[in-house]
Amino acid sequence: VMNMGVDGNTTIQLFSRIKSIPKDANIVIYEFGRGNDARKNISEEQTFANSDKNVRDLISKNYRVLLIVRAKKTGALTALIDQYAELGNLPKVQLMAVYQPPEKVLNDRPEWGHPTAQAHDEIAENMIQNIRILLEK
């Protein structure tokens, strides 16, 4: 397991880093992240377009992709699931939705927050189940 996440990166910066993923990697975990893009005034539409391009590029390089979308409101999560459904149905992609109610979010950033330790544990457990499914694709 290699964590290649960079705090503050936008979806544009992620695309430029795809080439640095080791060739022998099997699975790439790609979390839709709106916060960094929003802070850089990248529109929601552009964030989706960038994420779509990033995931399709990963697939073209023969990686399996665990695509994670998370939101702290059920309506927002449903909208993300709908928006990313086409990508989630592609071969070698598994879409994983994470609902984070306020009690599972740290108040470390006014516009969002990172998951609590308990929420991280739950996300990790859910990831294991989704990775098993992804390995069968």
Side-chain angles (χ1 to χ4, degrees):
V1 175
M2 176 186 290
N3 182 349
M4 294 181 65
V6 176
D7 187 36
N9 260 188
T10 66
T11 52
I12 295 166
Q13 292 164 314
L14 287 173
F15 184 76
S16 68
R17 289 203 344 262
I18 287 174
K19 63 183 175 277
S20 64
I21 297 171
K23 302 272 186 258
D24 61 346
N26 292 320
I27 295 174
V28 173
I29 299 170
Y30 185 98
E31 182 180 356
F32 162 82
R34 178 77 190 114
N36 294 337
D37 280 14
R39 282 186 282 284
K40 301 284 181 164
N41 296 317
I42 298 170
S43 71
E44 192 170 341
E45 295 78 16
Q46 190 61 52
T47 296
F48 173 75
N50 294 343
S51 293
D52 185 271
K53 181 178 179 181
N54 290 341
V55 170
R56 290 179 190 276
D57 190 53
L58 289 164
I59 294 168
S60 76
K61 291 176 175 25
N62 235 10
Y63 298 114
R64 289 181 173 102
V65 179
L66 177 58
L67 174 59
I68 300 174
V69 294
R70 65 183 170 108
K72 58 183 178 179
K73 295 181 180 175
T74 55
L77 185 58
T78 300
L80 285 173
I81 293 167
D82 290 346
Q83 188 172 19
Y84 282 87
E86 182 181 330
L87 275 179
N89 287 324
L90 292 174
K92 297 187 178 185
V93 177
Q94 177 67 22
L95 180 61
M96 179 180 135
V98 176
Y99 171 59
Q100 288 188 254
E103 65 273 11
K104 292 188 179 181
V105 177
L106 298 171
N107 292 316
D108 58 339
R109 295 187 183 184
E111 70 282 358
W112 182 246
H114 292 106
T116 63
Q118 177 189 0
H120 271 292
D121 289 346
E122 291 169 8
I123 292 167
E125 184 65 36
N126 197 1
M127 287 173 72
I128 292 167
Q129 294 169 0
N130 279 276
I131 287 171
R132 285 186 179 128
I133 293 167
L134 185 57
L135 288 171
E136 298 296 321
K137 292 187 174 189

